[in-house]
Amino acid sequence: MTSQELRQKFLNFFESKDHKIIPSAPLVPANDPTVLFTTAGMHPLVPYLLGELHPQGKRLVSVQKCLRTGDIEEVGDNTHLTFFEMLGNWSLGDYWKNEAITWSYEFLTDKKWLGLSSDKLAITCFAGDADAPQDSDSFKIWQKLGIKTERIAFLGKEDNWWGPAGQTGPCGPDTEIFYWIGEETAPKVFDPKDRRWFEIWNNVFMEYNKTNEGKYEPLKNKNVDTGMGLERTLVALNGFSSVYETDLFKPLLDYLISQTNFKYDLYKIKIITDHMRAVYFMVADGVQPSNKDRGYILRRLLRRAVVYARQMDIPASWITGLLQKLQIVFNNVYPELNLQSELIIKVVNEETQKFILTLDRGLKEFAKLNKIDGQIAFNLYQTYGFPWELSRELAKDKGQIINKDEFEKEFKKHQELSRTASAGVFKGGLADHTDRVVRLHTATHLMNAALRQVLGDHVWQKGSNITAERTRFDFTHPEKMTEEQKSKVEELVNKWIDRDLQVKREVLSLEEARKLKAIGVFGEKYADIVSVYKVFDPETGEVISCEFCGGPHVEHTGVLGHFKILKEEAVAAGIRRIKAVVE
Ligand code: SER
């Protein structure tokens, strides 16, 4: 099935259920200071989800352009994208769980629509916690539709809860639909950790408003917000293993490869196509390259693509060539692009030419450097236009970590940016990689390993969140940890810190990583190449921890400080949460 067929079927289906088609809103949110970009179809609808009347009524359907930079480290695998399209249907205080779920099921399985086999479906529902009860209604509806109990899993907030990218606003439990893409017959029992179960659709039941104080108040209207990933669903429908095989990407990849003399790095080709799609749509929606906020993200994506293209000796004309291919892929879908194609090509080429003038000199300089610190990264930024992330990446290739605080300090000093502007530069989902966060990140790997030693191999990461203040780590374990177990975990971690073990990143095939018994959650289903971080004793070769992870991490554990567990508590049935610090 082609992308256009899928878009059209989705719109037609919901039109037949009395929904009104609304056009995609721009990537740049009109009146929302909490985010830089539209990250989901619900974003432009926030006022209506909060109770305002929508001019088109209470049932809406759309194909929305979205941009997310939070998963940027994962781009290049089979499923993570910065720019993507989301198919969504909405009930604004109208229908509720029964209709939403029944229609999702009908659209997916009815031969008239997608005709996917219901034997290959699995479902997750919200498990319940202190803020909201278990979503047993959705569970019962799925059962009534014929989904077997063994194919329905209950998960906590990390997995089955959705709210807007900002901190506050409409939110609620969700039920997610997975499709089996494995070659073998779909297993009877659903294991959400098995990556061959591929998430295609999310139904959010928005019944709360998260307030500034972090309270969950019931919403005036109960709303339904669903999001189906266009690219991912095409993978499922066509039996592909990667979004790059779909008609949205294939012409772009073929074109770039044809420009390389067939000597290329496929991973980099994929990243170029992803980033250039984002660049194309950003410029089309009025973003101009600059040193802050949206313009900075645009610049960063474009520069990374340009660097990769140069590394593969692709002739400079590729920019215009690729933008023209993008035009062909999308001009019937978003007709406004037709008017803008020349402008997009001009803006992108001008920005690229400016960058290329200094890029080569900068890369030569970079090769000569032994140690790169935040200040040098800033100089590279000033002199050669290297975005911070590019220096960080190039430094990472040399096995070094740059201190972002130092870079930021220099940046602020020299640019005299206002507080908001400079904060904005590092907003928008670009991960926080300050020194403290990096140290806590490595400490979290050690804690994960220690938990498995002390409690057993049933310990499995269910989510983690690290801020400069603390690490928060959710994991599977059936009961409260005893004081003795907590002390043992602290002792083990501190022992490893004292031994000043080495930390090293390795890029491996998934199979090699499995052989090393790598643990943790890696980006997404079915990456070909994965990044793992190993903590080991260089003298004895003893491996303490090996985890799927994109980093960054410290180079040796001696710099971490003293590790301490602040709190251990329940988050959901069978899931515990630890908050810990290094001091
Ligand atoms: N807002 C939800 C999501 O992005 C469903 O549309 O997954």
Side-chain angles (χ1 to χ4, degrees):
M1 186 177 293
T2 66
S3 50
Q4 189 48 12
E5 278 168 328
L6 177 54
R7 288 187 198 95
Q8 207 50 56
K9 279 197 180 212
F10 190 84
L11 297 174
N12 290 350
F13 176 80
F14 282 100
E15 236 185 346
S16 79
K17 308 286 182 199
D18 298 327
H19 288 60
K20 288 275 173 349
I21 299 176
I22 52 168
S24 173
L27 273 182
V28 178
N31 293 313
D32 191 343
T34 65
V35 285
L36 290 178
F37 294 105
T38 301
T39 59
M42 53 79 65
H43 222 101
L45 294 172
V46 169
Y48 310 105
L49 295 165
L50 288 171
E52 229 173 84
L53 290 181
H54 193 284
Q56 299 284 345
K58 293 179 171 177
R59 296 184 179 191
L60 308 173
V61 59
S62 75
V63 180
Q64 174 64 46
K65 300 177 276 185
C66 299
L67 191 97
R68 293 185 185 175
T69 50
D71 290 335
I72 199 157
E73 307 288 342
E74 252 75 52
V75 170
D77 69 2
N78 288 338
T79 54
H80 280 97
L81 298 169
T82 52
F83 172 84
F84 64 99
E85 291 168 90
M86 189 182 275
L87 309 167
N89 58 289
W90 284 273
S91 155
L92 303 172
D94 190 45
Y95 60 83
W96 190 231
K97 296 181 183 178
N98 194 35
E99 293 89 333
I101 294 176
T102 308
W103 288 336
S104 290
Y105 184 79
E106 182 186 343
F107 181 65
L108 289 173
T109 58
D110 193 317
K111 293 236 162 25
K112 204 169 139 211
W113 302 101
L114 298 191
L116 289 171
S117 158
S118 64
D119 285 345
K120 291 191 176 185
L121 295 181
I123 305 296
T124 58
C125 296
F126 179 56
D129 62 12
D131 299 320
Q134 185 182 68
D135 187 5
S136 47
D137 295 342
S138 295
F139 174 77
K140 283 185 205 141
I141 298 165
W142 284 116
Q143 271 191 324
K144 221 173 73 198
L145 289 168
I147 304 287
K148 301 256 177 346
T149 313
E150 316 80 85
R151 285 279 183 82
I152 308 177
F154 280 103
L155 300 175
K157 261 216 187 75
E158 298 285 341
D159 295 287
N160 282 79
W161 188 270
W162 217 88
Q167 293 292 310
T168 56
C171 57
D174 66 45
T175 177
E176 297 184 4
I177 305 167
F178 291 74
Y179 186 74
W180 177 256
I181 59 163
E183 278 170 18
E184 312 77 2
T185 320
K188 277 207 172 71
V189 180
F190 170 42
D191 171 7
K193 285 201 302 279
D194 187 329
R195 298 177 201 276
R196 289 167 294 180
W197 288 108
F198 192 70
E199 188 202 332
I200 51 175
W201 202 352
N202 185 11
N203 277 222
V204 186
F205 302 114
M206 293 192 160
E207 42 182 329
Y208 300 98
N209 178 32
K210 189 174 177 194
T211 65
N212 278 328
E213 296 76 44
K215 287 211 189 91
Y216 292 89
E217 288 174 347
L219 277 178
K220 210 163 87 191
N221 282 334
K222 288 182 174 179
N223 309 302
V224 175
D225 151 28
T226 90
M228 178 191 252
L230 175 76
E231 299 80 358
R232 301 178 69 101
T233 306
L234 284 174
V235 169
L237 283 168
N238 290 300
F240 295 153
S241 60
S242 151
V243 291
Y244 295 97
E245 292 169 59
T246 65
D247 65 319
L248 292 163
F249 280 92
K250 199 155 179 312
L252 310 179
L253 260 74
D254 288 348
Y255 169 74
L256 279 176
I257 288 171
S258 76
Q259 301 295 299
T260 60
N261 269 333
F262 299 94
K263 275 210 304 251
Y264 57 87
D265 175 341
L266 188 57
Y267 175 70
K268 288 185 176 162
I269 296 270
K270 288 176 178 174
I271 290 183
I272 297 176
T273 56
D274 169 83
H275 286 13
M276 291 306 288
R277 277 174 23 120
V279 163
Y280 178 71
F281 279 97
M282 276 167 151
V283 177
D285 279 343
V287 181
Q288 291 282 331
S290 80
N291 283 339
K292 64 183 176 115
D293 297 345
R294 301 181 180 99
Y296 178 76
I297 291 175
L298 165 60
R299 186 164 265 178
R300 180 194 165 190
L301 293 171
L302 176 60
R303 288 184 176 185
R304 190 176 185 205
V306 169
V307 169
Y308 284 171
R310 275 186 98 74
Q311 286 172 345
M312 287 181 278
D313 288 328
I314 303 180
S317 57
W318 74 270
I319 300 243
T320 304
L322 194 71
L323 292 172
Q324 282 166 344
K325 294 280 176 225
L326 273 160
Q327 173 74 7
I328 297 169
V329 172
F330 285 110
N331 65 1
N332 289 330
V333 190
Y334 303 103
E336 68 273 16
L337 292 168
N338 287 319
L339 300 172
Q340 286 174 301
S341 65
E342 273 176 39
L343 179 75
I344 300 173
I345 290 174
K346 186 165 166 277
V347 170
V348 178
N349 270 315
E350 274 174 14
E351 169 68 10
T352 306
Q353 273 150 21
K354 269 196 276 172
F355 177 51
I356 280 184
L357 280 181
T358 53
L359 172 68
D360 289 338
R361 276 196 296 139
L363 285 173
K364 270 194 206 124
E365 267 319 295
F366 200 95
K368 284 192 230 149
L369 296 168
N370 288 324
K371 174 99 189 97
I372 303 115
D373 59 21
Q375 199 171 349
I376 294 178
F378 178 74
N379 288 340
L380 289 166
Y381 168 76
Q382 264 223 319
T383 321
Y384 303 110
F386 277 32
W388 141 257
E389 291 81 4
L390 183 59
S391 292
R392 176 165 61 84
E393 252 178 44
L394 293 170
K396 223 157 68 173
D397 288 345
K398 291 189 180 212
Q400 295 186 23
I401 292 171
I402 320 177
N403 184 326
K404 188 177 175 192
D405 285 344
E406 264 175 38
F407 176 87
E408 257 181 89
K409 217 165 84 197
E410 291 297 317
F411 190 94
K412 281 186 193 144
K413 215 160 66 194
H414 286 73
Q415 300 285 322
E416 291 172 6
L417 287 174
S418 70
R419 267 167 65 92
T420 30
S422 61
V425 170
F426 301 102
K427 213 163 60 177
L430 296 179
D432 176 0
H433 289 154
T434 57
D435 182 45
R436 278 188 66 80
V437 170
V438 173
R439 284 194 290 127
L440 276 166
H441 194 174
T442 310
T444 309
H445 279 213
L446 293 180
M447 173 167 73
N448 194 352
L451 284 167
R452 289 170 71 87
Q453 280 202 15
V454 174
L455 303 176
D457 281 348
H458 61 276
V459 167
W460 204 258
Q461 173 172 345
K462 294 304 290 177
S464 91
N465 170 283
I466 303 175
T467 65
E469 281 73 46
R470 50 97 188 118
T471 172
R472 193 184 79 199
F473 185 76
D474 295 350
F475 61 95
T476 44
H477 182 57
E479 65 218 1
K480 192 172 164 56
M481 283 174 75
T482 63
E483 286 309 314
E484 204 197 334
Q485 287 170 333
K486 281 191 274 183
S487 308
K488 267 201 183 142
V489 169
E490 285 178 337
E491 268 166 39
L492 263 179
V493 172
N494 283 315
K495 195 178 81 192
W496 292 330
I497 292 176
D498 288 345
R499 279 170 65 190
D500 198 15
L501 301 165
Q502 202 165 320
V503 185
K504 200 168 142 223
R505 176 181 187 227
E506 276 177 24
V507 177
L508 308 170
S509 71
L510 186 55
E511 218 180 290
E512 287 173 288
R514 287 233 165 95
K515 269 192 218 138
L516 279 174
K517 297 210 170 28
I519 57 163
V521 207
F522 71 87
E524 259 297 339
K525 352 260 161 180
Y526 270 160
D528 315 311
I529 304 276
V530 294
S531 160
V532 297
Y533 271 86
K534 249 168 53 178
V535 183
F536 65 104
D537 186 334
E539 272 166 43
T540 62
E542 182 195 353
V543 177
I544 301 295
S545 145
C546 180
E547 267 199 46
F548 294 113
C549 181
H553 282 274
V554 302
E555 290 175 58
H556 53 104
T557 59
V559 299
L560 292 183
H562 187 77
F563 172 79
K564 197 164 165 332
I565 294 179
L566 296 180
K567 203 168 177 191
E568 190 272 342
E569 60 188 335
V571 245
I575 300 181
R576 311 291 304 175
R577 166 170 294 175
I578 286 185
K579 287 191 181 143
V581 288
V582 281
E583 295 166 333

